Amino acid sequence: MRMKERGQVTEVRIFHQTYSIRSENGPEYVESLAEHVDRTMHEISEATPAVDTARIAILAALHIADDFFNARTELSDLREDVLDKGRKMISLLEEAADEGAAS
């Protein structure tokens, strides 16, 4: 027995090819992803002419993965900064409370 397929199918065009993408996310989201991939592939194609589509797709995937890894690292750094500042604020509040209790 086949499992019920979930999500909505959205047709998108990426680098001169049409794809039917099934996703639980809305069509706008899928279209936005496809536009990003298409734009990246076209940018790479323009920068490196005479490269076949498969290589362009691999280079685009690497470029997008690099962007993702950089964003993930930046988010992790920001989270750590927020935690550090939160700990400092708690320490300052505790010191102020101790000083207020001592007076």
Side-chain angles (χ1 to χ4, degrees), residues 7-73:
Q8 181 178 356
V9 175
T10 303
E11 280 200 9
V12 296
R13 195 151 173 82
I14 302 172
F15 208 66
H16 315 293
Q17 296 286 326
T18 302
Y19 298 93
S20 296
I21 308 294
R22 181 177 300 281
S23 174
E24 292 184 12
N25 296 310
E28 297 83 14
Y29 179 76
V30 174
E31 289 165 0
S32 177
L33 292 176
E35 288 170 8
H36 181 68
V37 172
D38 183 63
R39 184 173 46 257
T40 303
M41 288 182 72
H42 279 286
E43 288 171 0
I44 290 169
S45 174
E46 290 169 9
T48 55
V51 175
D52 64 58
T53 302
R55 289 180 192 266
I56 291 170
I58 294 297
L59 291 171
L62 287 170
H63 180 78
I64 292 167
D66 182 52
D67 286 346
F68 170 74
F69 276 52
N70 287 331
R72 186 173 60 179
T73 298

